[in-house]
Amino acid sequence: MTTFRFGQHVVKASAVFLQSELSFAVVNRKPVVPGHVLVCPLRSVERFRDLRPEEVADLFQTTQRVSGVLENHFCGTSLTIAIQDGPEAGQTVKHVHVHVLPRKRGDFEKNDSIYDELQKNDKEVEDIPAKWRSEEEMAAEADDLRKYFN
């Protein structure tokens, strides 16, 4: 697959570092912390409740695989794993996705501030291409992570 559908966005395969039977993992163009990635079902589904049982299982198994690698690779000591399910929960891309963020002691003054950052990070009004990482940066990170899964 040369591209992946992520809600209203098209993701280049160069940014995807893992594909399972029903899910894919992609580096984030606007990471909140180093190593912040997204795990998404291949089928474009807006809400978590609309996933089929086998998609839920695959999504969470893929998230679990990715989590261990990220925590190690980015020298984290913990993880934040989050789903924003619906607009009032902060979801801006109409495609279920799991945020996986490697965490370190002191990365935020108040630990739960990461949720505020996630919400700010995802707001479309602040979605300015100049703030995005380049395709080359994203491809390089995906290449680094892909090595753990081959």
Side-chain angles (χ1 to χ4, degrees), residues 103-116:
R103 301 292 305 276
K104 297 177 184 177
R105 179 180 299 278
D107 56 4
F108 286 88
E109 189 175 329
K110 293 181 181 172
N111 193 43
D112 283 350
S113 294
I114 195 153
Y115 300 108
D116 297 329

Side-chain angles (χ1 to χ4, degrees), residues 75-87:
C75 302
T77 55
S78 298
L79 296 160
T80 293
I81 299 172
I83 297 175
Q84 296 163 301
D85 190 35

Side-chain angles (χ1 to χ4, degrees), residues 1 3-7 16 18-25 39-45 51 55 58-59 95-96:
M1 192 179 284
T3 61
F4 293 76
R5 172 67 57 201
F6 177 50
V16 173
L18 177 62
Q19 182 178 345
S20 66
E21 183 183 347
L22 300 172
S23 304
F24 67 96
V39 182
C40 315
L42 286 168
R43 186 170 68 97
S44 186
V45 176
L51 290 171
E55 290 172 315
D58 189 85
L59 182 69
H95 188 142
V96 173

Side-chain angles (χ1 to χ4, degrees), residues 9-29:
H9 306 285
V10 175
V11 175
K12 290 189 175 184
S14 61
V16 173
F17 61 92
L18 177 62
Q19 182 178 345
S20 66
E21 183 183 347
L22 300 172
S23 304
F24 67 96
V26 61
V27 298
N28 199 322
R29 69 181 180 192

Side-chain angles (χ1 to χ4, degrees), residues 29-146:
R29 69 181 180 192
K30 298 183 306 181
V32 171
V33 295
H36 175 191
V37 304
L38 305 174
V39 182
C40 315
L42 286 168
R43 186 170 68 97
S44 186
V45 176
E46 186 173 339
R47 298 291 305 275
F48 185 77
R49 66 177 177 231
D50 298 325
L51 290 171
R52 298 183 197 116
E54 61 273 16
E55 290 172 315
V56 172
D58 189 85
L59 182 69
F60 278 93
Q61 288 168 348
T62 303
T63 299
Q64 185 179 45
R65 285 182 68 197
V66 165
S67 297
V69 165
L70 287 179
E71 190 170 355
N72 244 359
H73 184 77
F74 289 96
C75 302
T77 55
S78 298
L79 296 160
T80 293
I81 299 172
I83 297 175
Q84 296 163 301
D85 190 35
E88 289 73 30
Q91 181 183 17
T92 57
V93 177
K94 293 180 179 184
H95 188 142
V96 173
H97 55 286
V98 180
H99 293 265
V100 183
L101 302 97
R103 301 292 305 276
K104 297 177 184 177
R105 179 180 299 278
D107 56 4
F108 286 88
E109 189 175 329
K110 293 181 181 172
N111 193 43
D112 283 350
S113 294
I114 195 153
Y115 300 108
D116 297 329
E117 287 302 312
L118 268 176
Q119 193 141 9
K120 270 197 294 185
N121 196 46
D122 285 346
K123 287 190 178 171
E124 289 300 326
V125 290
E126 295 179 13
D127 202 15
I128 302 164
K131 292 185 177 182
W132 300 348
R133 295 194 297 166
S134 71
E135 287 183 21
E136 294 78 20
E137 288 174 292
M138 292 172 65
E141 184 175 290
D143 282 344
D144 284 346
L145 295 173
R146 205 174 287 118

